[in-house]
Amino acid sequence: QVQLVESGGGLVQAGGSLGLSCAASGIIFSIYDMGWYRQAPGKQRELVAAITTGGSTNYADSVKGRFTISRDNAENTVYLQMDSLKPEDTAVYYCNAQFRRLLVSYWGQGTQVTVSS
């Protein structure tokens, strides 16, 4: 029943922008920390940005100043606004919901982001 559905991926030119959305269902969204991860071919999945239940944010050094994570608890949605995109941002981006107390994580299907030079 838990579903995380990403949208907004696509092909963009370097320097461009793209906004990702992740709509969650089947969880009490407001008590879950949310995050965006990405995985490029041949690389480990890495945390891109995270936002806690209280709205505190954390970003990978590689995206600081360019990406912004936000959440709308009323809409059960977490967003990732990506600006000044670089080819090295190319990856499959995954939405994650985590309730640390229960040691559980839920993942979306992923959405491809490709940045051309």
Side-chain angles (χ1 to χ4, degrees):
Q1 183 57 58
V2 177
Q3 286 192 332
L4 302 176
V5 181
E6 300 101 333
S7 61
L11 174 64
V12 297
Q13 294 184 12
S17 297
L18 201 62
L20 305 182
S21 298
C22 172
S25 61
I27 61 171
I28 306 175
F29 183 81
S30 62
I31 67 172
Y32 278 76
D33 294 332
M34 302 298 299
W36 287 96
Y37 292 72
R38 67 186 181 189
Q39 187 166 24
K43 296 184 178 180
Q44 295 184 18
R45 187 172 298 188
E46 64 173 342
L47 176 67
V48 177
I51 185 166
T52 69
T53 58
S56 298
T57 59
N58 191 48
Y59 299 90
D61 288 341
S62 60
V63 307
K64 284 181 180 177
R66 300 188 297 119
F67 291 10
T68 303
I69 188 171
S70 61
R71 67 190 294 162
D72 186 341
N73 287 346
E75 297 294 331
N76 289 0
T77 302
V78 63
Y79 305 93
L80 185 68
Q81 178 63 41
M82 304 183 293
D83 299 319
S84 301
L85 282 162
K86 305 174 180 179
E88 50 263 45
D89 295 319
T90 295
V92 177
Y93 283 71
Y94 298 90
C95 178
N96 172 260
Q98 184 173 51
F99 185 47
R100 296 183 182 275
R101 185 65 181 86
L102 294 181
L103 301 175
V104 296
S105 290
Y106 298 102
W107 295 91
Q109 189 73 23
T111 185
Q112 177 71 47
V113 172
T114 302
V115 184
S116 62
S117 59

